Amino acid sequence: MATFNKRGYKAPKAKEEKMDDTFIEDIKVDEKDSTTAGVFNTLDETASKTEDFVAKNQKMILIVVGVITLAVVGYFAYNKFVVEPKELDAADQMFVAQQNFQKATDDATKSDSLYTLSLNGSEGKYGFVKIASEYAGTKAANLANYYAGVAYLNTGKFDKAIEYLTQFKSEDKVLNPLTLGALGDANSQLGKQKEALDFYLKAAQANKNDFTTPRYLLKAGKTALALGNKADAIKYFTDIKDNFDTTPEAQGIDALIGLAQ
């Protein structure tokens, strides 16, 4: 039966020397009565089993580790040699389309033709439509969906505007409400006033600020008024009066409140 010495044991000196009373005498402890000994034995058994498992399954373990390593390396390699170059190429293609889009917003007399160029491409570069399809999955393609949607909205192709705007995804504090508002405009132009109202309210609530919030509250109020929802219209108009009184939308808001009463 295994024995072990309690902590603090010191080998006895020669008989003629006096025993140091600060040390505890050697006591034999039965292993079954020792929790510590049991723990040590359990650890030894566990370690032994682990070693046996590793020895028996070493090949499989190496394969699993290898697969994980390849996956990690592959992910970084894909981003480095596929995604990044694709992003750069897409951004290069989109530069001319963005210029045409900006010119269209600045010059109302040529806006239709310039929006069309931004959609279809010019100067040997792709337009937003082809960028969105050819570079799908990139940030540039996602942004191209927004530009295409707004360009179609401004050229009267409302169904196409909805198609592209719904594909654009962003948490940007300005672009997100602008996209929702544009979807409201497209639905409104198609005579879908209830859908338009829903998008205007979402746009107003997406990010409270002095630019987009009063803009879409005003559109929501006018749309609610057109639908005969006077109480809702008053609520939206009053929100502008109480919380955004310094914005352009607040001008003439009293008249609209009076109209809705």
Side-chain angles (χ1 to χ4, degrees):
M1 186 176 295
T3 64
F4 69 97
N5 295 330
K6 283 191 173 180
R7 185 177 181 185
Y9 173 79
K10 184 175 182 181
K13 296 181 179 179
K15 288 183 178 180
E16 66 272 18
E17 294 182 8
K18 186 177 179 181
M19 181 71 70
D20 187 342
D21 293 333
T22 61
F23 292 94
I24 301 173
E25 61 180 329
D26 184 18
I27 300 176
K28 293 185 178 180
V29 180
D30 196 323
E31 180 183 34
K32 67 182 180 182
D33 297 325
S34 172
T35 302
T36 305
V39 170
F40 284 139
N41 280 344
T42 301
L43 291 174
D44 288 341
E45 290 174 6
T46 302
S48 178
K49 290 178 181 179
T50 302
E51 290 170 0
D52 290 342
F53 175 81
V54 172
K56 291 178 181 179
N57 299 277
Q58 187 173 16
K59 185 176 180 179
M60 181 58 68
I61 292 171
L62 289 174
I63 290 173
V64 172
V65 172
V67 169
I68 294 172
T69 302
L70 285 174
V72 173
V73 172
Y75 171 79
F76 285 108
Y78 178 77
N79 277 279
K80 181 68 176 177
F81 299 109
V82 178
V83 175
E84 290 182 13
K86 195 174 183 180
E87 286 282 8
L88 291 172
D89 190 26
D92 177 63
Q93 288 287 343
M94 197 160 66
F95 180 71
V96 174
Q98 287 175 311
Q99 283 188 319
N100 286 324
F101 185 93
Q102 186 59 51
K103 289 176 183 176
T105 60
D106 294 339
D107 188 351
T109 62
K110 299 178 181 178
S111 62
D112 280 2
S113 60
L114 288 168
Y115 278 130
T116 300
L117 284 177
S118 73
L119 286 164
N120 300 328
S122 62
E123 300 179 30
K125 298 293 184 181
Y126 291 162
F128 295 129
V129 172
K130 199 158 187 177
I131 291 169
S133 61
E134 293 290 325
Y135 298 93
T138 65
K139 294 177 182 178
N142 183 46
L143 190 57
N145 283 318
Y146 170 78
Y147 278 119
V150 175
Y152 277 127
L153 178 63
N154 282 284
T155 52
K157 298 178 180 179
F158 307 118
D159 285 320
K160 297 292 287 184
I162 292 172
E163 177 187 341
Y164 280 90
L165 287 169
T166 52
Q167 293 182 68
F168 175 66
K169 308 298 178 186
S170 175
E171 296 300 322
D172 185 85
K173 292 183 178 181
V174 175
L175 283 180
N176 186 34
L178 286 177
T179 302
L180 292 168
L183 282 165
D185 291 341
N187 277 280
S188 179
Q189 291 296 326
L190 289 171
K192 300 178 180 179
Q193 299 305 323
K194 289 183 179 179
E195 290 85 348
L197 177 58
D198 184 50
F199 278 115
Y200 288 144
L201 291 175
K202 287 180 180 178
Q205 297 164 4
N207 177 51
K208 294 293 182 70
N209 61 73
D210 289 345
F211 172 52
T212 59
T213 304
R215 177 179 183 178
Y216 294 118
L217 278 174
L218 183 62
K219 290 192 175 190
K222 290 180 177 179
T223 304
L225 193 58
L227 287 168
N229 301 331
K230 291 187 176 182
D232 287 340
I234 291 174
K235 180 172 66 174
Y236 306 142
F237 293 146
T238 303
D239 193 351
I240 295 172
K241 180 178 180 179
D242 292 345
N243 301 303
F244 304 96
D245 58 311
T246 60
T247 64
E249 288 78 14
Q251 296 178 14
I253 201 68
D254 286 330
L256 288 171
I257 292 173
L259 187 64
Q261 290 175 336

